[in-house]
Amino acid sequence: MGEPDGELVGEPDGEPVDGRGATGAGGAAGRRAPADRPVSRNQGPGGAPPERRGGGEAREAQRAGHMLGVNVRALRGERGLSLSEVARRSGVAKSALSQLESGLGNPTIQTVFSLANALQVPVSDLLAEPAPPDVLLVRSAGLEVLRSRAVDLRMLRRIEPRGGVLELYDQRVRPGARQHSNGHPGVEHVVVTQGVLRVGPPADPYELGPGDYVRLPGSQPHVYETAGPEPVLSVLLIEYPAGTGIDRPARPH
């Protein structure tokens, strides 16, 4: 793999060295850098100390170094590799690798390519922002409320599987009022978690208790109302199947 000229952040070209002068796993201890290329962890591009860099450049270098460290640590953990093993595979000193993962190193582009080869990933995987976490936590209390005559909706999540759209709502139905809809695009899925809900055709709605589920076409007239004096808590999923041409679904109810 060819390596571009230049540095990622401000350390001179060549292999990172640890405090003992080791060049990395398998390197000869005590090897020194050429006299005209002194190794300094405080050098910036062109030999200028970091404190003399422009503010934007210094911040960018710090951000890039931090992102690299985060990604290397995550990839190493996914593969079950020790620091020593990654150091051996990459030729990067273990102490330098430890500093890098802590966000303290100033790696050269050569170091980045060596680590990419050792971890068997594209260089971009080391420099890019991490993917969103597998777990997404949304607190309903902090969401905007869509209010209608009898129903309060809080959108928890919009999901876009191939060709379609799903909208997930926290739905609360207030007692003493009936919510009528003449119809809207999509298919409604409702699960009651508390209270007793009447939902469906206006002339003959279905009655759902806690744990009950109903699926009904949103395009047909339907109603929502409580069956007693207590409010109803439920989960509403509106499904817009592929081919409906829905990009920005209409507000339900």
Side-chain angles (χ1 to χ4, degrees):
M1 182 189 305
E3 298 178 7
D5 294 331
E7 299 178 345
L8 175 66
V9 291
E11 186 170 270
D13 291 333
E15 294 178 325
V17 297
D18 61 21
R20 300 164 300 189
T23 60
R31 181 187 299 173
R32 296 182 180 178
D36 60 341
R37 301 294 297 279
V39 175
S40 169
R41 297 194 182 282
N42 295 319
Q43 271 191 332
E51 59 270 17
R52 294 185 183 177
R53 300 184 204 170
E57 182 182 349
R59 285 191 295 272
E60 180 63 20
Q62 184 178 21
R63 188 198 67 80
H66 172 74
M67 189 57 58
L68 180 63
V70 168
N71 288 332
V72 167
R73 183 169 61 250
L75 290 167
R76 183 172 65 80
E78 289 174 6
R79 288 157 175 74
L81 299 174
S82 66
L83 275 172
S84 298
E85 179 60 19
V86 174
R88 185 189 69 79
R89 294 185 183 188
S90 65
V92 177
K94 180 179 176 181
S95 60
L97 185 58
S98 178
Q99 283 192 324
L100 177 63
E101 289 194 358
S102 299
L104 302 176
N106 288 330
T108 64
I109 288 181
Q110 180 179 345
T111 299
V112 176
F113 273 81
S114 295
L115 289 170
N117 288 335
L119 294 167
Q120 298 183 324
V121 296
V123 170
S124 59
D125 282 7
L126 298 183
L127 302 178
E129 294 279 348
D134 292 335
V135 176
L136 176 65
L137 176 62
V138 178
R139 300 292 188 188
S140 179
L143 299 178
E144 178 183 358
V145 181
L146 302 176
R147 299 187 187 278
S148 56
R149 179 177 176 83
V151 176
D152 293 342
L153 291 175
R154 295 170 175 82
M155 183 185 286
L156 299 169
R157 184 72 169 157
R158 175 185 168 114
I159 307 167
E160 299 185 20
R162 181 178 298 180
V165 175
L166 300 174
E167 292 179 343
L168 183 64
Y169 292 90
D170 168 23
Q171 178 174 252
R172 307 183 184 195
V173 183
R174 299 185 299 276
R178 170 181 268 208
Q179 183 65 42
H180 183 276
S181 173
N182 289 323
H184 56 77
V187 178
E188 297 195 5
H189 304 260
V190 182
V191 178
V192 174
T193 59
Q194 179 179 309
V196 181
L197 176 68
R198 291 195 184 102
V199 56
D204 189 20
Y206 309 107
E207 190 166 289
L208 280 67
D212 291 343
Y213 160 83
V214 68
R215 173 188 181 273
L216 55 94
S219 58
Q220 298 179 9
H222 53 279
V223 297
Y224 279 83
E225 64 182 348
T226 65
E230 302 297 326
V232 172
L233 306 183
S234 59
V235 176
L236 169 66
L237 176 70
I238 303 182
E239 174 189 6
Y240 303 91
T244 59
I246 298 298
D247 178 41
R248 293 185 177 275
R251 177 172 169 173
H253 307 324

